[in-house]
Amino acid sequence: MAKENNLIVAPQLGFVLGKIESTSGTAESLAIGDALYASEVSWSFDRENLTRTPLSPERPGVMSAPGAAILSYSVSSEFSAPTISDSGDVPHNDVLLRAGGFQSTFDDAADAFVYVLTSSNHKSASFEIYEFEALGTKANKTALRGARHGWSIDCTAGEIALLSCTGLGLGASTLGNTYVTATPASKSAVFYTDKPFICDGGHVEIVNLSDNSIYGGGSVGAPDDNYLVLGLTLDSGWTADAQRGLSADGASGRVRLTSGGPVTGTLQFETVQLASTDGAFDPYALRDNTTPLEVRVKFTHNTSDHLCFNFYAQIVGVDRSDDAGRSTWTCAVELRYPEALGGDPAVGQSPEQKFDFAANQGLFVDVTPDDVGVLAITYYSG
């Protein structure tokens, strides 16, 4: 008969601490105030096994040796933020965005944080993952430093806007301290009461930049929504790579983000009659004519807190299916360099072009990001 054992670790009882590192790869000092709202957390402390096979009168039976060590992890987090009135009102998934290749700009006049996905100068994060035993007094702690990750974003109608991350991190500076038993200084992780952003009631604008027509009708800045966009997904395309070195404990010296191609995504549309006069698009013609699209999406809660996605895309594939008694197109897209709102440079022309703002175009709030990139995520209040 099995005995009661209160040392058994209980899944989903614990918390994750995280902070952006001042110096990449140098662990930050973490406290309970650095707790993240993290869901679907998983991790693995991996180490290569170096097999040794000397010539022997019997089959190989000598001891193998431990090789390179690395930690892999995945975590999901909802898009949410407090009402923003100063630089201290940081969006709740700030750490995960910045460790995934985004650079952040705060604009005091606009009460806005803008995150732009960049190709270099990436931040890294320190994480500590605590898992409690059944009594809830002690925990197993896993420490990661120099962590970076790829990510995906899912905005499905009626669901919470979600960020999902998968990446790698180095172990503790002394590798033996990577996975240890710990008594946390506090269990009082405080989770925010701000609502997550739900994908409903949003401003959804898909602009055909050849003639500024709007899918679903309307005009630039004022879509009619005669036809609906069902969902939006984005994928960073980042691969977190462990870079080895002779001087590194566990042979893994750093984690870097690398990519072999563009940022990708999908847009799912209702299928409509091509001859319709109230905003029908022909995705096959858009694909074949390499017509660029401007995508502007904004979700609002508490009447004045906003989450925005801005990017320019090219349709590269079209798939037909059905959803709730209607035919749909799911268009595979690749993100391109932004255009200047005057059209010069055009979409895909200049990797130095920053996202712009105008009264009814570009970013939803009057901010000039410090960085260039192909995707802008904006939180603002007002």
Side-chain angles (χ1 to χ4, degrees), residues 117 151-155 206 229 231-238 261-269 293 295 309 311-319 329-336 374-375:
L117 182 65
W151 48 262
S152 62
I153 292 170
D154 191 329
C155 296
I206 313 297
V229 178
L232 159 69
T233 69
L234 294 167
D235 190 285
S236 68
W238 291 130
V263 181
T264 61
T266 63
L267 292 167
Q268 189 177 18
F269 302 89
L293 302 177
V295 180
F309 299 92
F311 59 90
Y312 295 82
Q314 177 184 347
I315 293 176
V316 296
V318 182
D319 181 58
W329 287 308
T330 299
C331 298
V333 300
E334 294 179 352
L335 275 58
R336 303 305 187 209
V374 296
L375 171 63

